[in-house]
Amino acid sequence: MNDTVSIGSSPRRIRQNNIVAALQTIYAHRSLSRADLARKLGMNRSSSGEIVAELTEGGFVQESDESGKQRLEHSRAGRPGIMLELVPDAAFFVGIEIGVEHISAAVVDLSAEVRACRKIAFDTPSSTVEEAVAQGVELIIGAMAKGMIGRCKGLGISAPAHIRPDGIVTLAPIIGWREVSLKEVGRSAFPATVPIAVENDANAFAIGDSYRHGVSGVTLFLLMETGVGGGIMIDGKLFRGGHGLAGEIGHTLVPRSGGQKFEQLIGREVLIRQYREAIGRKHVDLQEFLGDVHDRVPAAVNIAEIWSRHLAYALLQACRLLDPDRIVLGGSVASLYPMVAARVAVHMSEGQSIPFPTPDIVVDDDAEFGSAFGAACMLHQRFLSLESEEFGGEDGAPIHSATS
């Protein structure tokens, strides 16, 4: 993860590069001895020690609790290496997902561990962009302990939308946004001046799952809520396509469906509507439907069977186009998949005359917060990169204290 420094680099750039490389390396290994860090950075112990001292003084790196134990246990067997680790509370990163009928939010620390998460029902299509973002900010600020906001180093926002690199939402038909500067709205709503990044919700979900597990090969991510969004990772890099719309399988028209799109057949709202009609009750929610599928209630099982057939067809089309090694499902509707996985497999098998390889299909560890987590991870990743403003000060200037 170390970045090569060119011969013409300035002392400031070299210093920033080495600091970032050290942070990346410690994060990747969680705990690392001083000697191992110097070796992985390709530096001598003295130069590496200066970087560690600067990061320690800034409050970003510390000796791990294991170091003291090792010194005690090995006091008779020679001097053990001192283990280094990141200080989790040194920095926090906020992620907010604005969905169609909900808002979820999460906070991760410098170790990329989730420290808080919340979710509320919210009718985004009937609200302004400013109202939705303000609600998301209020939701997560209320979950953050005192002092965390002052150490917040970034805000990520995701939404079911096509978003340009400059943070402008160009198209979001499912929530009614168009030509909106989501980044600027976030900047106005957040109570601290921090870097802000915005991203499509399915792409954010893909980033978050990949950040947690690491990926290689080709992975398709499907975020299933009211709409169905898709993200594609190829060897750990997000594939956006020619116009930033790669993976949007939910907008594909389904043959012999009366002109319906995939998301209109496998999304959250269709499941709830179908089950309400089937049992004659107006206030059934998704959790009740999922519970009834689990309990094998016939009406619920019949709808789940139809859903599994539609999902299988959608996945087959994606498999023929992308040939993914792995498919990861997220969003509230993903909870249905484990209960019908066998049926999806049968329908996929029946849907192809040639036995093409079948990818692994899994549900994300924290499917309902995956997009918010990914939005936070985008800023964590930025912080541990040469884009970070934290470590790009003037030559010789100390690193900003994490506790100031």
Side-chain angles (χ1 to χ4, degrees), residues 164-238:
R164 292 203 314 248
D166 59 1
I168 301 293
V169 173
T170 59
L171 186 63
I174 201 167
I175 53 178
W177 297 357
R178 192 178 183 90
E179 298 302 323
V180 174
S181 179
L182 187 54
K183 182 179 289 188
E184 290 306 315
V185 173
R187 198 183 311 280
S188 298
F190 202 68
T193 302
V194 298
I196 296 176
V198 297
E199 182 59 271
N200 169 268
D201 57 351
N203 285 343
F205 167 56
I207 291 168
D209 185 271
S210 301
Y211 213 69
R212 180 183 282 132
H213 299 296
V215 292
S216 60
V218 180
T219 304
L220 171 66
F221 297 85
L222 290 185
L223 183 66
M224 299 187 292
E225 292 286 353
T226 297
V228 177
I232 302 168
M233 282 281 183
I234 300 177
D235 291 332
K237 296 184 181 298
L238 185 67

Coordinates of all heavy atoms in Angstrom, one line a residue, residues 164-238:
R164 N -23.0 13.0 -10.4 CA -21.8 13.3 -11.1 C -20.6 13.4 -10.1 O -20.8 13.6 -8.9 CB -22.0 14.7 -11.8 CG -22.9 14.7 -13.0 CD -22.6 15.8 -13.9 NE -22.4 17.1 -13.3 CZ -23.2 18.2 -13.3 NH1 -24.3 18.1 -14.0 NH2 -22.9 19.3 -12.7
P165 N -19.4 13.4 -10.6 CA -18.2 13.5 -9.7 C -18.2 14.8 -8.9 O -17.6 14.8 -7.8 CB -17.0 13.5 -10.7 CG -17.5 12.7 -11.8 CD -19.0 13.1 -12.0
D166 N -18.9 15.9 -9.3 CA -18.9 17.1 -8.6 C -20.0 17.2 -7.5 O -20.2 18.2 -6.9 CB -19.0 18.3 -9.5 CG -20.3 18.3 -10.4 OD1 -21.1 17.3 -10.2 OD2 -20.5 19.2 -11.2
G167 N -20.7 16.0 -7.3 CA -21.7 16.0 -6.3 C -23.1 16.4 -6.7 O -24.0 16.5 -5.9
I168 N -23.3 16.6 -8.0 CA -24.6 17.0 -8.5 C -25.4 15.8 -8.8 O -25.0 14.9 -9.6 CB -24.5 17.9 -9.8 CG1 -23.7 19.1 -9.5 CG2 -25.9 18.3 -10.3 CD1 -24.3 20.1 -8.5
V169 N -26.6 15.7 -8.3 CA -27.6 14.6 -8.6 C -28.2 15.0 -9.9 O -28.9 16.0 -10.0 CB -28.7 14.5 -7.5 CG1 -29.7 13.5 -8.0 CG2 -28.1 14.0 -6.2
T170 N -28.0 14.3 -11.0 CA -28.5 14.6 -12.3 C -29.9 13.9 -12.5 O -30.7 14.5 -13.2 CB -27.6 14.1 -13.4 OG1 -27.3 12.7 -13.3 CG2 -26.2 14.9 -13.3
L171 N -30.1 12.8 -11.9 CA -31.3 12.0 -12.1 C -31.6 11.1 -11.0 O -30.7 10.3 -10.6 CB -31.2 11.3 -13.4 CG -32.5 10.6 -13.9 CD1 -33.6 11.6 -14.2 CD2 -32.2 9.7 -15.2
A172 N -32.7 11.2 -10.4 CA -33.2 10.3 -9.3 C -34.7 10.1 -9.4 O -35.4 10.6 -8.5 CB -32.7 10.8 -7.9
P173 N -35.2 9.4 -10.4 CA -36.6 9.3 -10.6 C -37.4 8.7 -9.5 O -38.5 9.1 -9.2 CB -36.7 8.5 -11.9 CG -35.4 7.7 -12.0 CD -34.4 8.6 -11.4
I174 N -36.8 7.8 -8.7 CA -37.6 7.1 -7.7 C -37.8 8.0 -6.5 O -38.7 7.8 -5.7 CB -36.9 5.8 -7.3 CG1 -37.8 4.9 -6.6 CG2 -35.7 6.1 -6.4 CD1 -37.3 3.5 -6.4
I175 N -37.0 9.1 -6.3 CA -37.3 10.1 -5.2 C -37.5 11.5 -5.7 O -37.8 12.4 -4.9 CB -36.1 10.1 -4.2 CG1 -34.8 10.4 -5.0 CG2 -36.0 8.8 -3.4 CD1 -33.6 10.5 -4.0
G176 N -37.5 11.7 -7.0 CA -37.9 12.9 -7.6 C -36.9 14.1 -7.6 O -37.2 15.2 -7.8
W177 N -35.6 13.7 -7.4 CA -34.5 14.8 -7.4 C -34.0 14.9 -8.8 O -33.8 14.0 -9.6 CB -33.4 14.4 -6.5 CG -33.8 14.3 -5.0 CD1 -35.0 14.6 -4.5 CD2 -32.9 13.9 -4.0 NE1 -35.0 14.3 -3.1 CE2 -33.7 13.9 -2.8 CE3 -31.6 13.5 -3.9 CZ2 -33.2 13.6 -1.5 CZ3 -31.1 13.2 -2.6 CH2 -31.8 13.2 -1.5
R178 N -33.6 16.2 -9.1 CA -32.9 16.4 -10.4 C -32.1 17.7 -10.3 O -32.6 18.7 -9.8 CB -34.0 16.5 -11.5 CG -33.4 16.5 -12.9 CD -34.5 16.5 -14.0 NE -33.9 16.4 -15.3 CZ -33.7 15.3 -16.0 NH1 -34.0 14.1 -15.4 NH2 -33.2 15.2 -17.2
E179 N -30.9 17.6 -10.8 CA -30.0 18.8 -10.8 C -29.9 19.4 -9.4 O -30.1 20.6 -9.3 CB -30.4 19.8 -11.9 CG -30.4 19.3 -13.3 CD -29.0 18.8 -13.7 OE1 -28.0 19.4 -13.3 OE2 -29.0 17.8 -14.4
V180 N -29.5 18.6 -8.5 CA -29.4 19.1 -7.1 C -28.0 18.9 -6.6 O -27.4 17.8 -6.8 CB -30.3 18.3 -6.1 CG1 -30.1 18.6 -4.7 CG2 -31.8 18.5 -6.5
S181 N -27.4 19.9 -6.0 CA -26.0 19.7 -5.4 C -26.1 19.1 -4.0 O -26.2 19.8 -3.0 CB -25.3 21.1 -5.3 OG -24.0 20.9 -4.8
L182 N -26.1 17.8 -4.0 CA -26.2 17.0 -2.8 C -25.0 17.3 -1.8 O -25.2 17.4 -0.6 CB -26.3 15.5 -3.1 CG -26.6 14.6 -1.9 CD1 -27.9 15.0 -1.1 CD2 -26.7 13.2 -2.4
K183 N -23.9 17.5 -2.4 CA -22.7 17.8 -1.6 C -22.8 19.1 -0.9 O -22.5 19.2 0.3 CB -21.4 17.8 -2.5 CG -20.1 18.1 -1.7 CD -18.9 18.1 -2.6 CE -18.6 16.7 -3.1 NZ -17.3 16.6 -3.8
E184 N -23.3 20.1 -1.6 CA -23.5 21.5 -0.9 C -24.6 21.4 0.1 O -24.5 22.1 1.1 CB -23.8 22.5 -2.0 CG -22.6 22.8 -2.9 CD -21.4 23.2 -2.1 OE1 -21.5 24.0 -1.1 OE2 -20.3 22.7 -2.4
V185 N -25.6 20.7 -0.1 CA -26.7 20.6 0.9 C -26.2 19.9 2.1 O -26.4 20.3 3.3 CB -27.9 19.7 0.3 CG1 -28.9 19.4 1.4 CG2 -28.6 20.5 -0.8
G186 N -25.3 18.9 1.9 CA -24.7 18.2 3.1 C -23.8 19.2 3.8 O -23.7 19.2 5.1
R187 N -23.0 20.0 3.1 CA -22.1 20.9 3.7 C -22.9 21.9 4.6 O -22.4 22.3 5.7 CB -21.3 21.7 2.6 CG -20.1 22.3 3.1 CD -19.3 23.1 2.0 NE -19.2 22.3 0.8 CZ -18.2 21.4 0.7 NH1 -17.4 21.2 1.7 NH2 -18.1 20.7 -0.5
S188 N -24.0 22.4 4.1 CA -24.8 23.3 4.9 C -25.4 22.7 6.1 O -25.6 23.4 7.1 CB -25.9 23.9 4.0 OG -25.4 24.6 2.9
A189 N -25.8 21.4 6.0 CA -26.5 20.8 7.1 C -25.6 20.3 8.2 O -26.0 20.2 9.4 CB -27.4 19.6 6.6
F190 N -24.4 19.9 7.9 CA -23.5 19.3 8.9 C -22.9 20.3 9.8 O -22.4 21.3 9.4 CB -22.4 18.4 8.2 CG -21.9 17.4 9.1 CD1 -22.6 16.3 9.4 CD2 -20.6 17.4 9.5 CE1 -22.1 15.3 10.3 CE2 -20.0 16.4 10.3 CZ -20.8 15.4 10.7
P191 N -22.8 20.0 11.1 CA -22.4 21.0 12.1 C -20.9 21.2 12.2 O -20.4 21.8 13.1 CB -23.0 20.5 13.4 CG -23.0 19.0 13.3 CD -23.4 18.8 11.8
A192 N -20.1 20.6 11.3 CA -18.7 20.7 11.3 C -18.2 20.8 9.9 O -18.8 20.3 8.9 CB -18.0 19.5 12.0
T193 N -17.1 21.5 9.7 CA -16.5 21.7 8.4 C -15.6 20.5 8.1 O -14.5 20.3 8.6 CB -15.7 23.0 8.2 OG1 -16.5 24.1 8.5 CG2 -15.1 23.1 6.8
V194 N -16.1 19.6 7.2 CA -15.4 18.3 6.9 C -15.4 18.0 5.4 O -16.3 18.5 4.8 CB -16.0 17.1 7.7 CG1 -15.8 17.3 9.2 CG2 -17.4 16.9 7.3
P195 N -14.5 17.2 4.9 CA -14.7 16.7 3.5 C -16.0 16.0 3.4 O -16.4 15.2 4.3 CB -13.5 15.8 3.3 CG -12.5 16.2 4.4 CD -13.3 16.7 5.6
I196 N -16.6 16.1 2.2 CA -17.9 15.5 1.9 C -17.8 14.8 0.6 O -17.3 15.3 -0.4 CB -19.1 16.5 1.9 CG1 -19.2 17.2 3.3 CG2 -20.4 15.9 1.5 CD1 -20.3 18.2 3.4
A197 N -18.4 13.6 0.6 CA -18.4 12.8 -0.7 C -19.9 12.3 -0.8 O -20.5 11.9 0.2 CB -17.4 11.6 -0.6
V198 N -20.3 12.2 -2.0 CA -21.7 11.7 -2.3 C -21.6 10.6 -3.3 O -20.7 10.6 -4.2 CB -22.7 12.8 -2.7 CG1 -22.8 13.8 -1.6 CG2 -22.2 13.4 -4.0
E199 N -22.5 9.6 -3.2 CA -22.4 8.4 -4.1 C -23.7 7.8 -4.2 O -24.6 7.9 -3.4 CB -21.4 7.4 -3.4 CG -21.1 6.2 -4.2 CD -20.5 6.4 -5.6 OE1 -21.3 6.6 -6.5 OE2 -19.3 6.5 -5.8
N200 N -23.9 7.1 -5.3 CA -25.1 6.2 -5.6 C -25.1 5.2 -4.5 O -24.1 4.7 -4.0 CB -24.9 5.6 -6.9 CG -26.0 4.5 -7.1 OD1 -25.7 3.3 -6.9 ND2 -27.1 4.8 -7.6
D201 N -26.4 4.9 -4.0 CA -26.5 4.0 -2.8 C -26.0 2.6 -3.1 O -25.3 2.0 -2.2 CB -28.0 4.0 -2.4 CG -28.9 3.5 -3.4 OD1 -28.5 3.4 -4.6 OD2 -30.1 3.3 -3.1
A202 N -26.2 2.1 -4.3 CA -25.7 0.7 -4.5 C -24.2 0.7 -4.6 O -23.5 -0.3 -4.2 CB -26.3 0.2 -5.8
N203 N -23.6 1.7 -5.2 CA -22.1 1.8 -5.3 C -21.5 1.9 -3.9 O -20.5 1.4 -3.6 CB -21.7 3.0 -6.1 CG -21.9 2.8 -7.6 OD1 -22.0 1.6 -8.0 ND2 -21.9 3.8 -8.4
A204 N -22.2 2.7 -3.0 CA -21.7 2.9 -1.6 C -21.8 1.5 -0.9 O -20.9 1.2 -0.1 CB -22.6 3.9 -0.9
F205 N -22.9 0.8 -1.1 CA -23.0 -0.5 -0.6 C -21.9 -1.4 -1.0 O -21.3 -2.2 -0.2 CB -24.4 -1.1 -1.0 CG -24.5 -2.6 -0.7 CD1 -24.3 -3.1 0.6 CD2 -24.9 -3.5 -1.7 CE1 -24.5 -4.5 0.8 CE2 -25.0 -4.8 -1.5 CZ -24.8 -5.3 -0.2
A206 N -21.5 -1.4 -2.3 CA -20.4 -2.2 -2.8 C -19.1 -1.8 -2.2 O -18.3 -2.7 -1.8 CB -20.4 -2.0 -4.4
I207 N -18.9 -0.5 -2.0 CA -17.7 0.0 -1.4 C -17.6 -0.5 0.0 O -16.5 -1.0 0.5 CB -17.6 1.5 -1.5 CG1 -17.4 2.0 -2.9 CG2 -16.5 2.0 -0.6 CD1 -17.6 3.4 -3.1
G208 N -18.7 -0.4 0.8 CA -18.7 -0.8 2.2 C -18.4 -2.3 2.4 O -17.6 -2.7 3.2
D209 N -19.1 -3.2 1.6 CA -18.9 -4.6 1.7 C -17.4 -5.0 1.3 O -16.8 -5.8 2.0 CB -19.9 -5.4 0.8 CG -19.8 -6.9 1.0 OD1 -19.0 -7.5 0.3 OD2 -20.5 -7.4 1.9
S210 N -16.9 -4.3 0.3 CA -15.6 -4.6 -0.2 C -14.6 -4.1 0.9 O -13.5 -4.7 1.1 CB -15.3 -3.9 -1.5 OG -16.2 -4.4 -2.5
Y211 N -14.9 -3.0 1.5 CA -14.0 -2.5 2.5 C -13.9 -3.4 3.7 O -12.8 -3.6 4.3 CB -14.5 -1.1 3.0 CG -13.5 -0.1 3.4 CD1 -12.6 0.5 2.4 CD2 -13.3 0.4 4.7 CE1 -11.7 1.4 2.7 CE2 -12.4 1.3 5.0 CZ -11.6 1.8 4.1 OH -10.6 2.7 4.4
R212 N -15.0 -4.0 4.0 CA -15.1 -4.9 5.2 C -14.4 -6.2 4.9 O -13.7 -6.8 5.7 CB -16.5 -5.1 5.6 CG -16.7 -6.1 6.8 CD -18.1 -6.3 7.1 NE -18.7 -5.1 7.8 CZ -19.9 -4.6 7.5 NH1 -20.6 -5.0 6.4 NH2 -20.4 -3.6 8.1
H213 N -14.6 -6.8 3.7 CA -14.2 -8.1 3.4 C -13.0 -8.2 2.5 O -12.3 -9.2 2.4 CB -15.3 -9.0 2.8 CG -16.5 -9.1 3.7 ND1 -16.4 -9.8 4.9 CD2 -17.7 -8.6 3.6 CE1 -17.6 -9.7 5.5 NE2 -18.4 -9.0 4.8
G214 N -12.8 -7.2 1.6 CA -11.8 -7.3 0.6 C -12.4 -8.1 -0.5 O -13.1 -9.1 -0.3
V215 N -12.1 -7.8 -1.8 CA -12.7 -8.5 -2.9 C -11.6 -8.7 -4.0 O -10.7 -7.8 -4.1 CB -13.9 -7.9 -3.5 CG1 -15.1 -7.9 -2.5 CG2 -13.6 -6.5 -3.9
S216 N -11.7 -9.7 -4.7 CA -10.9 -9.9 -5.9 C -11.9 -10.5 -7.0 O -12.9 -11.0 -6.7 CB -9.7 -10.9 -5.7 OG -10.2 -12.1 -5.2
G217 N -11.4 -10.5 -8.2 CA -12.3 -11.0 -9.2 C -13.4 -10.0 -9.5 O -13.3 -8.8 -9.3
V218 N -14.6 -10.6 -9.9 CA -15.8 -9.8 -10.3 C -16.9 -10.0 -9.3 O -17.3 -11.2 -9.1 CB -16.2 -10.1 -11.7 CG1 -17.5 -9.2 -12.1 CG2 -15.1 -9.8 -12.7
T219 N -17.4 -9.0 -8.6 CA -18.5 -9.1 -7.7 C -19.6 -8.2 -8.1 O -19.4 -7.0 -8.3 CB -18.0 -8.8 -6.3 OG1 -16.9 -9.6 -5.9 CG2 -19.1 -9.0 -5.3
L220 N -20.8 -8.7 -8.1 CA -22.0 -7.9 -8.4 C -22.7 -7.7 -7.0 O -23.0 -8.6 -6.3 CB -23.0 -8.6 -9.3 CG -24.3 -8.0 -9.5 CD1 -24.3 -6.6 -10.2 CD2 -25.3 -8.9 -10.3
F221 N -23.0 -6.4 -6.7 CA -23.8 -6.1 -5.5 C -25.2 -5.6 -5.9 O -25.3 -4.7 -6.8 CB -23.0 -5.0 -4.8 CG -21.7 -5.4 -4.3 CD1 -20.6 -5.3 -5.1 CD2 -21.5 -5.9 -3.0 CE1 -19.3 -5.7 -4.7 CE2 -20.2 -6.3 -2.5 CZ -19.1 -6.2 -3.4
L222 N -26.2 -6.1 -5.2 CA -27.5 -5.7 -5.5 C -28.1 -5.1 -4.2 O -28.1 -5.8 -3.1 CB -28.4 -6.8 -5.9 CG -28.2 -7.4 -7.4 CD1 -29.3 -8.4 -7.7 CD2 -28.2 -6.2 -8.4
L223 N -28.5 -3.9 -4.2 CA -29.2 -3.3 -3.0 C -30.7 -3.2 -3.3 O -31.2 -2.5 -4.1 CB -28.6 -1.8 -2.9 CG -29.1 -1.1 -1.6 CD1 -28.6 -1.7 -0.3 CD2 -28.7 0.4 -1.7
M224 N -31.4 -4.0 -2.5 CA -32.8 -4.2 -2.7 C -33.7 -3.5 -1.7 O -33.8 -4.0 -0.5 CB -33.1 -5.7 -2.8 CG -32.4 -6.4 -3.9 SD -32.9 -8.2 -4.2 CE -32.2 -8.9 -2.6
E225 N -34.2 -2.4 -2.0 CA -35.2 -1.7 -1.2 C -36.4 -1.5 -2.0 O -36.9 -2.4 -2.7 CB -34.6 -0.4 -0.7 CG -33.4 -0.5 0.3 CD -33.8 -1.0 1.7 OE1 -35.0 -1.0 1.9 OE2 -32.9 -1.2 2.5
T226 N -37.0 -0.3 -2.0 CA -38.1 0.0 -2.9 C -37.7 -0.2 -4.4 O -38.3 -0.8 -5.2 CB -38.7 1.4 -2.7 OG1 -39.2 1.4 -1.3 CG2 -39.8 1.7 -3.7
G227 N -36.5 0.4 -4.7 CA -35.9 0.1 -5.9 C -34.8 -0.9 -5.8 O -34.5 -1.4 -4.7
V228 N -34.2 -1.3 -6.9 CA -33.1 -2.3 -6.9 C -31.9 -1.7 -7.6 O -32.0 -1.5 -8.8 CB -33.5 -3.6 -7.5 CG1 -32.4 -4.6 -7.5 CG2 -34.7 -4.2 -6.8
G229 N -30.9 -1.3 -6.9 CA -29.7 -0.8 -7.5 C -28.6 -1.8 -7.5 O -28.6 -2.8 -6.8
G230 N -27.6 -1.6 -8.4 CA -26.5 -2.5 -8.6 C -25.2 -1.8 -8.6 O -25.1 -0.6 -9.1
G231 N -24.2 -2.5 -8.1 CA -22.8 -2.0 -8.1 C -21.9 -3.1 -8.6 O -22.2 -4.3 -8.3
I232 N -20.8 -2.8 -9.2 CA -19.9 -3.8 -9.7 C -18.5 -3.5 -9.3 O -18.0 -2.4 -9.5 CB -19.9 -3.9 -11.3 CG1 -21.3 -4.2 -11.8 CG2 -18.9 -5.0 -11.8 CD1 -21.5 -4.0 -13.3
M233 N -17.8 -4.5 -8.6 CA -16.4 -4.4 -8.3 C -15.6 -5.4 -9.1 O -15.9 -6.5 -9.2 CB -16.3 -4.7 -6.8 CG -16.6 -3.6 -5.8 SD -15.4 -2.3 -5.8 CE -16.0 -1.2 -4.5
I234 N -14.6 -4.9 -9.7 CA -13.6 -5.7 -10.5 C -12.2 -5.6 -9.9 O -11.7 -4.5 -9.9 CB -13.6 -5.3 -11.9 CG1 -15.0 -5.4 -12.5 CG2 -12.6 -6.2 -12.7 CD1 -15.1 -5.0 -14.0
D235 N -11.8 -6.7 -9.3 CA -10.4 -6.6 -8.6 C -10.3 -5.5 -7.6 O -9.3 -4.8 -7.6 CB -9.3 -6.6 -9.6 CG -9.2 -7.9 -10.4 OD1 -9.6 -9.0 -9.9 OD2 -8.8 -7.9 -11.6
G236 N -11.4 -5.3 -6.8 CA -11.3 -4.3 -5.8 C -11.6 -2.8 -6.2 O -11.6 -1.9 -5.4
K237 N -11.9 -2.6 -7.5 CA -12.2 -1.3 -8.0 C -13.6 -1.2 -8.5 O -14.1 -2.1 -9.2 CB -11.2 -0.9 -9.1 CG -9.7 -0.8 -8.7 CD -8.8 -0.4 -9.8 CE -7.4 -0.3 -9.4 NZ -7.2 0.7 -8.3
L238 N -14.2 -0.1 -8.2 CA -15.6 0.1 -8.6 C -15.7 0.4 -10.1 O -15.0 1.3 -10.6 CB -16.2 1.3 -7.8 CG -17.7 1.6 -8.1 CD1 -18.6 0.4 -7.5 CD2 -18.1 2.9 -7.4

